[in-house]
């Protein structure tokens, strides 16, 4: 998605006293699924912050990505409770099925994979979240079927 | 510092020696003023203390308990008891030096420092990298020169010094202060600067950046004799925020 | 929404709401916390709304989505009030029934009720559910009651009354004094006294002052703060406003991690509502005090839970911590005095102001008042949020509230304060969970994450996991954290992949200690804790990884070919033979078994199958029936072609004891070309297999056949030939035996040491079982009332034997709870089915008799007391309760010990205080040429351990006699069975073998369990997931 100057300006909003750089970047990230260079430059100018600071913040926090994320974001919880219940093997299965590692996006831009540290749904561990939908009690055996739903565009249907 | 009132006269005990000083000074400052050597790497008189290298640790004693603190940032309070060369301190410095050798083992200055602190061949190594992330270059660019052309990007093991987008910075004025202040020779201007363009700044907003000390803008000489370098060399302490 | 202009306005609003509230009005509360939502609670709520609308009941019934109830394991949770009926695991399909049965007809829907796993009773009401009953929910009290998006719900239940009291009746100093007196300590992990923190900020000079709520909750495994923010955000806000008043702050921030979208929504909504009601903003409640709050989002960086990094983030900079001092109280956000507290800390403040410091202090321990919320997660049965008074023993939290370990496994350790905390092993379950007591054990309270680990958790792997986390989250500013923790991580990676080196543990200890002391911030300073505590309490696990290249828990992939094989003491190639059975290649499977175990028929009946306990198939349905497969194969009457070393006239070796250890040693020595002679004191060979294990579990004919196979290799077995007084060990060496293997077992029964033991009618279990096996005279059992004392396999064997001998009744007395009995669970169940009565928590104190004969046994009732070092509750006498059981025969089965006195003095081998022989893992004793193994070395243990010891000793003897480089026999190498890694696992469950019906069993000693048939065995074998398969692609 190429950033439109007017869209961007709206996302950045009024830069009154105390506006949060992180909040602004988060809005841009949510809208474009990444932080385009032009956006960061505009933010730096509008908020009166050095570009190097904006870039530091963009690269420090894992909430942001400088490359476009895939259509579907798969987050595999690597929290302690999930780990103790075998999340490492679930992650392996996802990596194998998609052919990408955490932090990467599939060549067809369909899936991005990331690991997260504890989503706070520990009773359901191991947990995988896809586009905000929680899949609990995951096992390597279930990975294929769950991912297929998104590949076939059947996502959003019932039964997690 | 519990409600410090800088300027109040206090007594601290440095290796057993009572010393008169004023509230608000750091242990490192007091030590240097009284000829007590504490090794440092990321400290510079002209910059605010950063506390990253952890070489300047000293022991402070409070009743029965002892604690290691970073002398470059720890403030003096009345009655503070400081020991700068105990076995605990030496152990700490030795291990820190050994960790420095993990990446910068090929840098003569680091090898020498490590030898002085008793570190042998490192038990853990990473690919060689002269940059030890002391932050001096970034801090000098921000606090003395004021253009903030470079910053620390990424985090953790991926952390490095870089201009925005890893391309030549439009804000760099090629004053060379960063190169001068780097303790390991890791930094070269070629990594940071390029001819001024507006490639990554919007046309309407572009203003040529300039050094806040001398007002000099883009400087074509590789290491000029701008006032920023003088500031660094003389360690006058000016330019600190 | 009308703005409240004064405290009386607020009181009036509350009164009006209370008056409007109809106590009998039915309400349905559905948990809307993230955990339940993930299980579909939103859809359930929707279904209720629809159903009520269709029945025209929407106006009469209050339907609300509440915050997290805490019992996340059983979500979605639905509570119907006013009765308080508690339904768990509710699905959309259950809604119509709940409405028609419970709401309209006041009847319970049984299947949705919580069932207590121990008693089997169903519990109808919320307040009776054991998970809740043992908690003390004050901070979480409103979580299941109110709608978190409704400020009126909160006000109706007393919300904001504390704020009114603070602003109108107390000075800021008084508020601080109250919080200080209450003993509230920071709930985020460090436990700094909150009142003191507030005072420092109040006294600091600078303006404006700021308040921050640290809602970053990055600890992986902790979600208490999330539930508070989702379920009762107003309480957190109220605490912050009170704090702002006390400190003199005018602006506040709630910094919430971006991974908590629901919490963000609820807090933001609550702020808006509070503003609209005049509880935030200028002139709050007309007092002139003004305070505003904003939400700020985190960016996915755990380090931003550290105060200075958090502030950097709010200021729009990377989350790099700053050195402290100066502390935020003096110089925080934008250089101004700032007070930062955790969500839970803030939530406690209104409670202190309304109920008083004395109440709060009284709730907790000496050093810290109040309660703490823990997220109890991991391998525990009742996963969820638990609120208990500070100082509650750890064991109570895990067992009494948590319901113990999933799957009945053994607790190994609890991780607190992950990843910064440390592990507490099962020996310390009595530790009161309090800030200082935990520190002394090397752990920290942390924010409340309590991760329970069981026997299947590898502590080295877990330490590596935490360090990976720390490395990923390290900001990278300081050297010790950035590079030091990486050095530790790579060392752990090496250890977990079989490349550990001597000195690695010491390196981790040294480096870890220095990193703790020199890192810049709390993240780095605590990063080594999991490693250091796991080394402190589980050093042997590290040593096993490094020296033996073994992972005892069966986790580290590089060291574990398959968890079953890894768990087998004899390292049998389980996936190998199971897969061969799956292909119908029974003879090859048998040959493979015989490579490590000459007793597949025996083990196929009596082994305690540690392999099945680790079988990964259990994660899908049930473990593969590995023991049954062994029995099936061995029972096919197949040839046993044994590969052995050439030359059958090798040196002679003497073996003392023809039990499993001795005979196994003989078997492998024969394969290596030796001529073993086994000396057995009893008239039959087999040791405990022959005289300990009853016929109905292991028919003598089966044992005899297996021993004959061993003898056929050239092993001489001389029964009725004791070694000791007659033939002395020295004689044997003179006669030309080149080495000795002592495997005399442990047959000496432990004395009860109670009055009356000498009466006629008191018999050691081993004596009874031996007499039955050998056909010797027995005490009078037929028609007798029999009491068996003990809880192990010997006790259960004796009990079931007594029944078969015609006892009128058999009672088994065990001093601990039934769940703690060491006997095999299947044996205990069989005993119960046959009519044995188990009296748990009963300890005999005296045997009563008349005329020298037993007629009763007096017992002390016990109750579970504090936890002991094994992690079980130690039984303590219940002083008031004693009872007498009328008995004619008392069978003692409280343990056995080796009895070797004359033999051992002769040999001169070193012994341990308990009488066992001192020997290493390969059987070497203190005397060269003399080896020992089995129960004589370990004390009473399992058959498979004895077999494993025999095999290791045979190889050790071979190397002793022929040098370390001596080669072994040529191993069998069957072609691997085929396996398609892409194929789905077969969908069917475990095959069950036939058993004699319980009523028929006690008529005699016929074998109870039958074998699987060939087809069933093959089907069963195909359930194996082939964990040994490694992708060669």
């Amino acid at each position: 998605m190429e950033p439109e100057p007017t869209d961007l300006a709206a996302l950045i909003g009024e830069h009154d006293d105390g506006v949060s750089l992180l909040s602004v970047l988060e809005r841009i990230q949510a809208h474009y699924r990444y932080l385009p260079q032009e956006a960061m430059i505009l933010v730096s100018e509008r908020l009166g912050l050095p570009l190097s600071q904006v870039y530091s913040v963009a690269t420090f926090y894992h909430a942001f990505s400088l490359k476009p994320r895939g259509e579907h974001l798969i987050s595999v919880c690597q929290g302690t409770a999930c780990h103790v219940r075998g999340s490492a093997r679930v992650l392996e299965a996802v990596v194998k099925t998609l052919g990408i590692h955490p932090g990467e996006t599939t060549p067809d831009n369909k899936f991005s994979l990331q690991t997260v540290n504890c989503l706070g749904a520990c009773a359901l561990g191991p947990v995988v979240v896809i586009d905000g939908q929680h899949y609990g009690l995951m096992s390597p055996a279930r990975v294929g079927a769950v991912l297929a739903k998104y590949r076939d565009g059947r996502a959003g249907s019932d039964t997690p | 510092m519990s409600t410090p009132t800088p300027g109040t006269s206090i007594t601290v005990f440095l290796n057993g020696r009572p010393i008169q000083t004023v509230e608000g000074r750091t242990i490192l400052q007091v030590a240097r003023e009284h000829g007590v050597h504490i090794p440092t790497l990321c400290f510079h008189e002209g910059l605010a203390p950063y506390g990253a290298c952890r070489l300047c640790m000293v022991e402070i004693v409070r009743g029965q308990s002892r604690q290691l603190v970073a002398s470059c940032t720890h403030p003096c309070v009345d009655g503070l008891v400081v020991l700068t060369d105990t076995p605990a301190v030496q152990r700490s410095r030795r291990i820190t030096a050994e960790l420095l050798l993990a990446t910068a083992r090929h840098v003569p200055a680091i090898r020498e420092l490590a030898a002085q602190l008793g570190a042998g061949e490192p038990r853990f190594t990473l690919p060689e990298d002269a940059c030890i992330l002391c932050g001096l270059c970034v801090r000098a660019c921000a606090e003395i020169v004021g253009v903030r052309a470079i910053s620390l990007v990424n985090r953790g093991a991926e952390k490095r010094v870089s201009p925005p987008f890893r391309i030549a910075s439009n804000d760099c004025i090629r004053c060379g202060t960063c190169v001068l202040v780097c303790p390991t020779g890791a930094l070269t201007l070629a990594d940071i600067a390029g001819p001024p363009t507006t490639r990554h700044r919007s046309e309407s907003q572009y203003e040529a950046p300039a050094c806040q000390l001398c007002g000099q803008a883009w400087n074509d000489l590789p290491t000029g004799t701008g006032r920023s370098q003088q500031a660094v060399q003389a360690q006058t302490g000016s330019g600190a925020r | 929404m009308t703005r409240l202009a004064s405290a009386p306005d607020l009181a009036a609003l509350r009164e009006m709401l209370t008056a409007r509230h109809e106590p009998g009005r039915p309400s349905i509360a559905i948990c809307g916390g993230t955990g339940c939502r993930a299980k579909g609670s939103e859809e359930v709520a929707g279904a209720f709304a629809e159903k009520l609308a269709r029945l025209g009941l929407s106006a009469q019934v209050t339907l609300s989505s509440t915050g997290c109830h805490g019992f996340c394991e059983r979500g979605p949770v639905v509570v119907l009030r006013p009765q308080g009926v508690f339904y768990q695991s509710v699905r959309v399909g259950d809604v119509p029934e709940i409405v028609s049965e419970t709401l309209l007809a006041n009847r319970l829907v049984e299947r949705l009720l919580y069932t207590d796993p121990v008693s089997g009773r169903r519990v109808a009401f919320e307040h009776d559910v054991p998970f809740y009953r043992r908690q003390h929910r004050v901070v979480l009290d409103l979580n299941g009651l109110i709608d978190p998006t409704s400020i009126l719900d909160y006000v109706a239940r007393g919300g904001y009354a504390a704020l009114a009291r603070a602003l109108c009746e107390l000075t800021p100093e008084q508020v601080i004094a109250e919080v200080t007196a209450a003993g509230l300590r920071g709930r985020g992990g460090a436990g700094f006294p909150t009142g003191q923190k507030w005072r420092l900020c109040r006294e600091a000079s600078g303006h404006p002052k700021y308040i921050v709520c640290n809602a970053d909750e990055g600890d992986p495994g902790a979600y208490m703060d999330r539930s508070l923010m989702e379920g009762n955000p107003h309480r957190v806000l109220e605490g912050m406003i009170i704090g702002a008043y006390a400190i003199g702050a005018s602006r506040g921030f709630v910094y919430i991690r971006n991974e908590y979208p629901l919490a963000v929504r609820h807090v933001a909504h609550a702020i808006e509502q509070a503003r609209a009601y005049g509880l935030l903003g200028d002139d709050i409640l007309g007092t002139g005090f003004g305070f505003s709050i904003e939400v700020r989002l985190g960016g996915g960086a755990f380090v931003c839970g550290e105060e200075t990094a958090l502030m950097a983030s709010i200021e729009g900079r990377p989350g790099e911590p700053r050195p402290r001092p100066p502390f935020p109280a003096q110089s925080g956000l934008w250089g101004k005095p700032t007070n930062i507290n955790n969500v839970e800390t803030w939530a406690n403040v209104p409670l202190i102001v309304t109920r008083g410091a004395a109440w709060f202090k009284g709730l907790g321990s000496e050093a810290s008042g109040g309660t703490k919320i823990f997220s109890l997660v991991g391998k525990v049965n009742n996963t969820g949020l638990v609120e208990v008074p500070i100082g509650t023993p750890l064991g109570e939290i895990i067992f009494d509230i948590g319901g113990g370990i999933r799957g009945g496994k053994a607790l190994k350790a609890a991780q607190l304060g992950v990843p910064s905390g440390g592990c507490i092993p099962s020996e310390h379950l009595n530790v009161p969970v309090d800030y200082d007591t935990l520190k002394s054990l090397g752990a920290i309270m942390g924010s409340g994450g309590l991760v329970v680990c069981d026997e299947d958790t590898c502590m080295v792997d877990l330490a590596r996991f935490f360090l990976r986390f720390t490395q990923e989250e390290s900001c990278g500013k300081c050297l010790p954290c950035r590079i030091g923790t990486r050095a530790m991580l790579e060392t752990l990676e090496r250890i977990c992949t079989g490349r550990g080196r001597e000195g690695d543990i010491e390196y981790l200890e040294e480096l870890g200690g220095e990193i703790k002391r020199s890192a810049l911030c709390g993240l780095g300073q605590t990063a080594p804790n999991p490693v250091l505590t796991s080394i402190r309490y589980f050093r042997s696990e590290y040593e096993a990884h490094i020296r033996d290249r073994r992972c005892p828990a069966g986790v580290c992939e590089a060291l574990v070919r398959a968890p079953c094989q890894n768990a087998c003491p004899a390292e049998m190639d389980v996936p190998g033979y199971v897969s061969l059975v799956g292909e119908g290649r029974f003879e090859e499977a048998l040959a493979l078994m015989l490579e490590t175990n000459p007793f597949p028929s025996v083990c196929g009946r009596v082994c305690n199958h540690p392999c099945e306990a680790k079988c990964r198939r259990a994660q899908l349905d049930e473990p593969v029936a590995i023991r049954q497969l062994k029995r099936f194969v061995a029972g096919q009457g197949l040839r046993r072609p044994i590969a052995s070393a050439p030359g059958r006239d090798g040196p002679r070796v003497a073996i003392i004891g023809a039990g499993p250890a001795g005979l196994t040693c003989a078997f492998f020595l024969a394969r290596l070309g030796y001529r073993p002679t086994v000396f057995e004191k009893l008239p039959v060979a087999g040791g405990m297999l022959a005289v300990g294990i009853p016929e109905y579990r292991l028919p003598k004919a089966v044992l005899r056949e297996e021993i004959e196979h061993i003898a056929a290799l050239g092993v001489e077995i001389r029964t009725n030939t004791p070694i000791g007084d007659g033939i002395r060990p020295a004689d044997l060496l003179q006669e030309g035996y080149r080495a000795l293997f002592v495997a005399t077992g442990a047959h000496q029964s432990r004395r009860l040491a109670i009055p009356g033991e000498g009466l006629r009618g008191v018999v050691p279990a081993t004596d009874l079982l031996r007499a039955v096996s050998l056909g010797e005279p027995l005490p009078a059992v037929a028609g007798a009332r029999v009491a068996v004392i003990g809880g192990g396999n010997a006790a259960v064997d004796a009990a079931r034997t007594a029944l078969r001998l015609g006892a009128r009744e058999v009672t088994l007395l065990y001093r601990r709870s039934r769940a703690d009995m060491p006997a095999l669970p299947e044996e205990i169940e069989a005993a119960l089915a046959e009519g044995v009565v188990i009296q748990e928590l009963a300890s005999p104190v005296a045997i009563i008799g008349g005329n020298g004969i037993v007629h009763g046994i007096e017992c002390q009732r016990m109750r579970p007391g504090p936890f002991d070092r094994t992690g079980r509750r130690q039984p303590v006498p219940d002083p008031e309760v004693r009872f007498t059981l009328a008995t004619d025969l008392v069978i003692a089965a409280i343990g056995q010990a080796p009895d070797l006195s004359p033999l051992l003095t002769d040999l001169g081998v070193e012994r341990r205080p308990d009488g066992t022989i001192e020997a290493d893992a390969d059987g070497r004793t203190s005397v060269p040429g003399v080896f020992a193994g089995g129960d004589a070395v370990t004390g009473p243990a399992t058959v498979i351990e004895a077999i494993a010891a025999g095999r290791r000793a045979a190889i050790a003897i071979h190397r002793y006699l022929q040098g370390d480089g001596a080669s072994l026999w040529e191993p069998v190498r069957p072609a691997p069975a085929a396996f398609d890694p892409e194929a789905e696992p077969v969908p069917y469950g475990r095959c069950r073998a036939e058993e004699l019906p319980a009523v028929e069993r006690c008529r005699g000693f016929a074998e109870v369990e039958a074998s699987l048939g060939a087809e069933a065995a093959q089907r069963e074998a195909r359930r194996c997931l082939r964990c040994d398969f490694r992708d060669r692609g």
Side-chain angles (χ1 to χ4, degrees), chain C residues 247-262:
Chain C
I247 291 166
S250 53
R251 266 180 89 186
F253 298 94
V254 183
Y255 184 84
I256 312 182
R257 62 191 295 236
N258 63 319
E259 292 95 328
Y260 282 172
L262 189 60

Side-chain angles (χ1 to χ4, degrees), chain C residues 513-543:
Chain C
E514 291 310 325
I515 293 172
K516 276 182 70 117
R517 286 185 279 273
S518 63
L520 174 60
C521 82
L523 190 151
Q525 288 158 6
T526 56
N529 283 350
V531 181
L532 295 177
T533 51
S534 59
I535 291 178
R536 174 172 169 179
Y537 296 115
F538 297 97
R539 199 184 187 99
S540 61
E541 234 175 296
Y542 279 83
E543 285 168 349

Side-chain angles (χ1 to χ4, degrees), chain C residues 707-729:
Chain C
I707 296 178
E708 267 156 35
H709 282 295
I710 296 176
L713 282 186
V715 173
E716 188 193 354
I717 305 174
R718 292 204 220 158
T719 54
N720 283 313
T721 316
I723 303 294
D725 286 330
I727 311 175
R728 287 167 53 243

